Structure formats: structure tokens, C-alpha cells
């Protein structure tokens, strides 16, 4: 008898446990409901029926939505959800997050949020038994990056919609990698960060560039979180580049990625003096901020700097590559040293300014071609010369003026003990675009140069060797040019690169969205996309063919 009662109790508890388990699943489903994506497509007629029988609300019933594992970005200002689509891959489920509308009472009433999609108009419909909301839904083919800054910080710093952040400030980063060949653990990268605005003359533009450092501890700005973003190298430091002043938003990315292909291990140290850029769409606190490109910095790691070597950055037009002597600088605190004006020491010892000056001095003033050759890695120097010449890089080199250049003093088995290794940066004034005083917009004129414009070059190891009558430099440059034209500078390869950038910039819709967001920026004819840039670049190469 007691055994029977015990069994009945156990059975009752088992039934109750199963009931609770099923109820939890049902409630969780109702509160966080999954809907098959293919079942969300609705028609105009269906929408009219829903609108006629429900109360319309201006804001979404639910802002927490997921397409598969991707949380959508909701921009309240324009009532738009943003989703990063994956090439040749359809979404399968839509999940709604918790809301008052999806409360337990609604669950018990067998009611929850439904989601519908109207493809023709790009609208996302949400409806319950008595309410309905309509939002915009944007699919982009680019990765999505959102930077979240607390309301307290925004208020404290007095930040407006431009997010001009002068010094490192704490924030949170979210990045969704939509690469078709992604093979990592998760497409989502979330990390605390610190960031600040960067740039010279461009820092005054409303769409600013930023330096970002990923942190392992949000409370410790010295901590580091090294991860790979969008398939690029694993690192904690990143650059968000804004192409605000470039009319077609392509030039810096095109030139720097092309330089990467040219310079990869093409030096005696097998160093990698370059960076790589990937286009992304950026949001601040879920508000759309525009088209950007993300890259890692060209730093000591890329130059493979070892003990005794140094890395410098040239930031202005001071012609100190021709300086007869170093100059003394002193902050007044007894820490003075001799330096080469215009150059900042990025890594190394201040004593290495002597090496930098001595190598530049020999390059500019020696009458011995062999001595000039010993100042640099010639393969790297020839590549830089050809890149500047082909792209008409007026903001990097102009007659004897040198700017936007990274240079390392690298150990080598030559009489000086060191050679120079170069890398360009900030190449937005190329292939037609340039500063023309009193003309253009934001200091830049579109196609102010023509494809046959010849950049005046009076500084470069190539130039100095030619001036000193070096017997082989002409053939070396010509041979390298023809090698490039058969490979990464071929018409086919250049067209393939431009096809990719055209799809990223225009096919994604990012160009048009950025034009709406920052209407005062520089924009070329949207209907032409990269047609004129493509034609200009190919014509420029054909003119170069006549030179070599």
C-alpha cells in the first residue's frame, strides 16, 4: 500500500516536472519566438488587413531582433533595422527578444509578436493581437560595426553627432563579419575598447577617422585584447578610416591594398611594410555613421623591427631629407635630443635619428651610385617610386617635398650597418583627386589632374641614382614595371579590384546612405559609380606603358 502511494507520488512529480519543462520551452518560445524566415514574407493585401484591425505604433513593438545569430542594429532616428547579409546564404530564422508585448500574460493568451517582411518596399512589420509597427529594413553586403558609448560619457564630453573624441575614451565594440569564406568560431566580435579621433586636416570633417584599441578589461586602458577582425592580422590596435573628402570613397583603400600586393616580402628582411583595408558600415550608439574602412596600423610588427632598429613617420612637407645636420630640441625638462624635424619616432631610440639623417644625407649628396644604393633596400625603393608615379601621389611626394611616409632604419650588412625601408600612408590624393588652392570641396578637387599628368619627382633613391648616372637603374625600374604589368598591375587584375570596390561602395548601398547621412561631404555622380575612376586608372597605366 505504501509502495503504491510512493509510486503514485513519484509518477505525479514526474508528470509535473514534464509539464513544467514543456511550459518553460513554450514560454521561452513565446517570449523569444523563432519564426522561419521564409514564412515572414507578406503581401500588400495582408499588410492592409493587419493595419485595418490593429492599432498602429510609430516605434517598433520589439527592437531586439535576430536574423539567425545576428542581432540587428536598430537606428531610432530613421526607424531602420540594419542587417549584414552573407553572400549565397539565406537566413533561416527570425528571433524576437523579450518585450512587454511578449509578456507571460500574452503567452498564456496564446499571443506573441509576429514578424513580417515586405520585400518590395524593404519594410519590416511587427504585429500582435492588437498592435502593429512598420520599420525600414536595410540589408548591406558589408560588415557592420557598432560603437557604444555610455550616455554619461556622451554628456560628460559634450559629444554631438560627429563624435569628436579628442583623447582615449571607453566604449564597447560590436562587429559582425559577413565574409562568405568565414571559418571562425563566431561571426560576432564584442569587446571593450578605447578610441579617439585621428587625422590632420581631415579631423575637422564631421565624419571623422578613429584609432581604436581593443581591451581585455574595460576598466584598464593598458590591457590588450588581440583578435583578428575581418580576416586581418590578430591585433589590439585598429584604424577606422573615413573617406569623407574622397569623391568616390575608393582611393586610399585602392592604393594601400595595391601597395600591400607589391611590397609583401619584397625586401631583404622579408618584412611586411604595409597594411590592408576592408570596407565596413559604422554606427555610433546604433545611429548610422557611414561608410568606413578598417585597417591595422603600419607599425613595428609590419616592419619586423628588432633590437637596435627604429621606425619613423614623416607628417609634414619640411624638406629635412636634405638637411645638413640634425636639430636640437628640448622640452625644458632636461630631456633634449637631436632630431630630424618633420619626423616622429614611432619606435626605437632617439639616437637613431643620427642613422636616419646620415642615410638621407648620403642618398641626397653622394656622387657614388654604390653608396646611394647602400642606403636603402632597392626593391622597396623602386616599388615606392613606381607607385607614386603611377598613382600621381601629389600628397606624398612633390618635387623635393616628402610627406605621409613611414621609414625604418633596418640592420644590414653594408658599410653604414643600416638601410632604409619605406611604406606610404594616407594616399587619398591620387589618380586625379588633389588639393587645388581656392577650388574644390573640403580642399579637394575631383579629377584636377589628367591621366597624362606626370608627378614631378626630385627625391627618391631612383631619382638620385638616375642623376648620378647609375648604369642599371633605368633597366631595373623598367623590368620591375613590366613584371607588375604582367601581374598585379595588369588591366585584368586592376579591373577585378575595382569591381570588388564598386560592389562594396555602391552595390552595398553604403555610398548612398553615407551621402544622406553626411550631405556636405564630397560625392561623385552616383550613377557612374567607379566608371570614371576605372577609365582614368587604366588610361594612366597605358600612358605609363609608353614610358617603360
Amino acid at each position: 500500500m505504501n509502495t503504491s502511494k510512493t509510486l503514485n507520488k513519484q509518477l505525479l512529480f514526474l508528470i509535473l516536472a514534464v509539464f513544467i519543462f514543456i511550459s518553460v520551452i513554450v514560454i521561452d518560445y513565446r517570449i523569444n519566438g523563432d519564426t522561419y524566415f521564409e514564412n515572414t514574407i507578406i503581401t500588400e493585401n495582408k499588410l492592409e488587413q493587419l493595419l485595418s484591425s490593429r492599432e498602429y505604433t510609430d516605434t517598433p513593438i520589439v527592437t531586439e531582433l535576430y536574423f539567425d545569430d545576428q542581432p540587428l542594429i536598430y537606428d531610432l532616428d530613421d526607424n531602420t533595422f540594419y542587417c549584414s547579409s552573407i553572400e549565397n546564404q539565406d537566413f533561416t530564422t527570425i528571433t524576437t527578444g523579450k518585450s512587454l508585448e511578449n509578456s507571460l500574460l500574452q503567452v498564456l493568451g496564446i499571443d506573441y509578436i509576429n514578424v513580417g517582411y515586405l520585400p518590395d518596399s524593404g519594410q519590416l512589420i511587427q504585429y500582435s493581437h492588437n498592435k502593429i509597427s512598420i520599420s525600414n529594413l536595410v540589408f548591406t553586403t558589408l560588415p557592420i560595426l557598432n560603437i557604444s558609448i555610455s550616455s554619461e560619457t556622451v554628456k560628460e564630453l559634450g559629444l554631438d553627432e560627429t563624435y569628436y573624441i579628442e583623447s582615449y575614451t571607453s566604449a564597447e565594440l560590436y562587429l559582425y563579419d559577413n565574409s562568405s569564406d568565414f571559418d571562425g568560431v563566431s561571426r560576432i566580435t564584442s569587446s571593450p575598447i578605447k578610441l579617439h579621433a585621428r587625422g590632420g586636416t581631415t579631423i575637422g570633417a564631421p565624419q571623422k577617422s578613429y584609432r581604436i584599441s581593443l581591451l581585455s578589461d574595460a576598466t584598464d586602458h593598458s590591457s590588450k585584447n588581440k583578435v583578428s577582425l575581418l580576416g586581418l592580422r590578430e591585433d589590439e590596435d585598429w584604424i577606422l578610416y573615413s573617406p569623407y573628402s574622397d569623391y568616390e570613397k575608393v582611393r586610399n583603400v585602392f592604393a594601400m591594398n595595391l601597395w600591400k600586393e607589391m611590397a609583401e616580402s619584397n625586401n631583404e628582411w622579408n618584412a611586411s611594410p604595409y597594411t590592408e583595408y576592408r570596407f565596413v558600415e559604422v554606427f555610433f550608439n546604433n545611429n548610422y555613421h557611414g561608410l568606413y574602412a578598417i585597417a591595422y596600423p603600419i607599425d613595428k610588427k609590419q616592419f619586423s623591427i628588432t633590437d637596435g632598429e627604429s621606425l619613423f613617420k614623416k607628417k609634414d612637407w619640411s624638406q629635412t631629407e636634405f638637411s645638413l645636420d640634425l636639430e636640437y630640441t628640448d622640452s625644458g625638462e632636461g630631456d633634449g635630443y637631436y632630431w630630424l624635424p618633420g619626423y616622429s619616432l614611432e619606435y626605437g631610440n632617439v639616437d637613431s635619428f643620427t642613422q636616419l639623417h646620415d642615410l638621407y644625407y648620403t642618398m641626397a649628396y653622394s656622387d657614388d651610385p654604390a653608396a646611394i644604393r647602400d642606403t636603402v633596400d632597392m626593391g622597396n625603393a623602386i616599388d615606392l617610386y613606381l607607385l607614386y608615379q603611377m598613382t600621381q601621389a601629389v600628397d606624398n611626394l612633390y618635387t623635393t617635398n616628402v610627406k605621409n611616409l613611414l621609414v625604418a632604419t633596418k640592420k644590414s650588412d653594408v658599410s653604414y650597418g643600416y638601410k632604409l625601408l619605406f611604406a606610404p600612408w594616407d594616399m587619398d590624393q591620387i589618380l586625379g583627386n588633389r588639393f587645388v588652392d581656392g577650388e574644390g570641396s573640403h580642399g579637394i578637387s575631383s579629377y584636377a589632374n589628367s591621366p597624362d599628368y606626370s608627378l614631378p619627382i626630385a627625391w627618391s633613391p631612383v631619382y638620385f641614382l638616375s642623376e648620378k648616372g647609375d648604369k642599371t637603374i633605368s633597366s631595373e625600374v623598367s623590368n620591375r614595371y613590366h613584371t607588375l604589368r604582367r601581374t598585379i598591375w595588369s588591366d585584368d587584375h586592376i579591373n577585378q579590384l575595382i569591381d570588388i570596390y564598386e560592389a562594396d561602395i555602391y552595390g552595398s548601398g553604403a555610398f548612398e546612405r553615407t551621402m544622406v547621412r553626411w550631405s556636405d561631404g564630397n560625392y561623385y555622380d552616383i550613377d557612374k559609380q567607379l566608371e570614371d575612376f576605372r577609365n582614368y586608372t587604366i588610361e594612366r597605366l597605358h600612358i605609363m606603358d609608353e614610358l617603360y
Side-chain angles (χ1 to χ4, degrees):
M1 186 68 177
N2 289 335
T3 302
S4 177
K5 286 183 178 180
T6 301
L7 289 174
N8 287 337
K9 286 183 179 179
Q10 290 176 345
L11 182 59
L12 181 61
F13 280 125
L14 179 61
I15 293 172
L16 182 60
V18 171
F19 175 77
I20 292 173
F21 177 73
I22 294 174
S23 298
V24 168
I25 293 177
V26 171
I27 289 173
D28 182 68
Y29 173 79
R30 294 300 187 183
I31 295 178
N32 298 283
D34 285 351
T35 304
Y36 287 111
F37 197 85
E38 61 187 17
N39 295 334
T40 65
I41 307 300
I42 64 174
T43 64
E44 290 282 358
N45 289 336
K46 174 66 173 177
L47 178 57
E48 289 180 10
Q49 294 174 12
L50 293 171
L51 286 169
S52 65
S53 59
R54 288 163 174 80
E55 176 189 354
Y56 179 77
T57 175
D58 291 332
T59 57
I61 300 173
V62 175
T63 59
E64 186 181 345
L65 289 177
Y66 298 80
F67 283 8
D68 293 342
D69 67 338
Q70 180 183 171
L72 303 194
I73 301 290
Y74 176 68
D75 186 338
L76 177 64
D77 287 352
D78 57 10
N79 187 27
T80 301
F81 288 93
Y82 290 86
C83 177
S84 179
S85 60
I86 303 169
E87 185 179 3
N88 299 322
Q89 183 173 324
D90 295 329
F91 293 106
T92 56
T93 60
I94 297 177
T95 305
T96 58
K98 296 179 177 65
S99 75
L100 294 176
E101 198 70 27
N102 275 1
S103 66
L104 182 57
L105 290 177
Q106 297 296 88
V107 170
L108 296 178
I110 316 299
D111 186 32
Y112 60 100
I113 303 304
N114 296 274
V115 179
Y117 175 51
L118 201 62
D120 292 341
S121 61
Q123 292 179 311
L124 189 73
I125 319 300
Q126 298 181 39
Y127 58 97
S128 64
H129 75 292
N130 63 346
K131 289 185 180 181
I132 183 170
S133 66
I134 302 176
S135 304
N136 303 308
L137 176 60
V138 169
F139 288 99
T140 177
T141 54
L142 293 179
I144 283 177
L145 188 153
N146 185 48
I147 295 171
S148 300
I149 303 175
S150 71
S151 58
E152 292 81 8
T153 299
V154 170
K155 183 177 180 180
E156 178 186 347
L157 299 180
L159 299 177
D160 60 16
E161 62 178 6
T162 67
Y163 287 93
Y164 179 32
I165 302 168
E166 296 187 59
S167 57
Y168 272 125
T169 298
S170 297
E172 292 285 331
L173 176 140
Y174 160 86
L175 175 66
Y176 188 83
D177 185 343
N178 70 334
S179 306
S180 59
D181 58 351
F182 180 83
D183 61 357
V185 176
S186 173
R187 291 183 178 274
I188 296 173
T189 298
S190 297
S191 177
I193 62 171
K194 61 180 181 180
L195 80 161
H196 68 79
R198 65 181 296 272
T201 57
T202 60
I203 204 166
Q207 187 189 3
K208 304 182 187 306
S209 297
Y210 297 91
R211 182 68 175 257
I212 293 176
S213 294
L214 277 62
L215 308 174
S216 58
D217 182 351
T219 63
D220 181 4
H221 276 198
S222 66
S223 65
K224 298 178 180 181
N225 181 21
K226 296 178 182 289
V227 299
S228 170
L229 301 181
L230 305 182
L232 300 175
R233 81 175 192 192
E234 189 174 283
D235 207 280
E236 77 278 4
D237 286 327
W238 297 90
I239 292 169
L240 267 184
Y241 163 73
S242 162
Y244 183 82
S245 63
D246 183 3
Y247 290 83
E248 289 129 311
K249 316 303 178 189
V250 69
R251 284 171 174 79
N252 188 55
V253 173
F254 171 81
M256 294 306 296
N257 285 353
L258 194 64
W259 170 253
K260 185 262 182 186
E261 292 189 73
M262 296 169 62
E264 193 162 18
S265 300
N266 187 28
N267 54 78
E268 68 175 80
W269 308 274
N270 289 319
S272 304
Y274 57 76
T275 185
E276 301 170 81
Y277 283 84
R278 299 284 188 272
F279 283 110
V280 296
E281 292 198 73
V282 171
F283 298 75
F284 271 85
N285 286 341
N286 283 25
N287 295 128
Y288 187 74
H289 212 69
L291 175 69
Y292 278 77
I294 192 169
Y296 49 83
I298 309 176
D299 55 16
K300 65 178 182 178
K301 287 172 277 190
Q302 294 303 116
F303 276 90
S304 301
I305 298 295
T306 61
D307 289 344
E309 299 178 343
S310 296
L311 177 62
F312 303 88
K313 177 183 283 189
K314 180 67 182 299
K315 300 179 179 181
D316 62 26
W317 285 120
S318 57
Q319 297 175 306
T320 50
E321 296 77 22
F322 296 87
S323 293
L324 299 181
D325 295 295
L326 293 173
E327 295 186 18
Y328 188 76
T329 181
D330 190 348
S331 66
E333 298 181 2
D335 57 352
Y337 60 91
Y338 286 92
W339 75 308
L340 202 59
Y343 283 86
S344 62
L345 179 65
E346 301 296 296
Y347 183 82
N349 191 289
V350 293
D351 293 338
S352 58
F353 272 111
T354 299
Q355 300 160 0
L356 179 66
H357 168 265
D358 290 349
L359 291 169
Y360 273 153
Y361 183 89
T362 300
M363 184 193 304
Y365 296 112
S366 176
D367 291 323
D368 181 6
I372 296 174
R373 286 178 174 274
D374 280 350
T375 63
V376 295
D377 180 276
M378 281 306 303
N380 171 259
I382 289 172
D383 276 353
L384 188 68
Y385 177 84
L386 286 171
L387 180 74
Y388 284 168
Q389 188 180 42
M390 190 275 279
T391 62
Q392 307 165 318
V394 294
D395 199 37
N396 298 81
L397 176 61
Y398 193 85
T399 63
T400 57
N401 298 279
V402 181
K403 183 186 174 187
N404 297 335
L405 181 71
L406 287 155
V407 55
T409 52
K410 298 282 295 176
K411 292 178 182 176
S412 183
D413 188 19
V414 291
S415 57
Y416 309 109
Y418 289 87
K419 285 184 179 180
L420 300 177
L421 183 64
F422 301 113
W425 60 281
D426 193 10
M427 295 192 69
D428 55 346
Q429 292 189 45
I430 64 167
L431 295 169
N433 276 17
R434 67 175 297 174
F435 170 79
V436 180
D437 192 21
E439 298 182 15
S441 175
H442 301 291
I444 302 297
S445 293
S446 177
Y447 294 111
N449 289 333
S450 59
D452 62 355
Y453 171 78
S454 179
L455 180 71
I457 297 177
W459 177 90
S460 163
V462 173
Y463 168 81
F464 293 126
L465 286 170
S466 298
E467 289 293 297
K468 300 303 179 182
D470 186 275
K471 295 180 180 179
T472 62
I473 187 60
S474 178
S475 61
E476 289 175 61
V477 174
S478 179
N479 290 339
R480 177 56 174 164
Y481 175 79
H482 287 291
T483 297
L484 290 171
R485 282 294 274 148
R486 289 193 301 270
T487 54
I488 58 180
W489 281 17
S490 69
D491 286 7
D492 285 345
H493 187 66
I494 295 298
N495 275 313
Q496 288 170 8
L497 291 178
I498 294 175
D499 284 344
I500 293 171
Y501 300 138
E502 191 169 65
D504 284 348
I505 298 168
Y506 295 89
S508 67
F511 184 93
E512 184 174 8
R513 286 189 286 274
T514 303
M515 187 163 54
V516 172
R517 180 64 183 87
W518 305 109
S519 58
D520 192 44
N522 287 350
Y523 303 99
Y524 201 64
D525 186 345
I526 190 172
D527 293 329
K528 288 192 172 184
Q529 301 190 16
L530 294 182
E531 176 186 350
D532 286 354
F533 177 79
R534 182 193 305 272
N535 293 336
Y536 188 107
T537 304
I538 296 299
E539 185 178 349
R540 176 64 189 153
L541 284 166
H542 291 173
I543 290 170
M544 290 276 289
D545 291 341
E546 298 175 7
L547 298 176
Y548 293 107

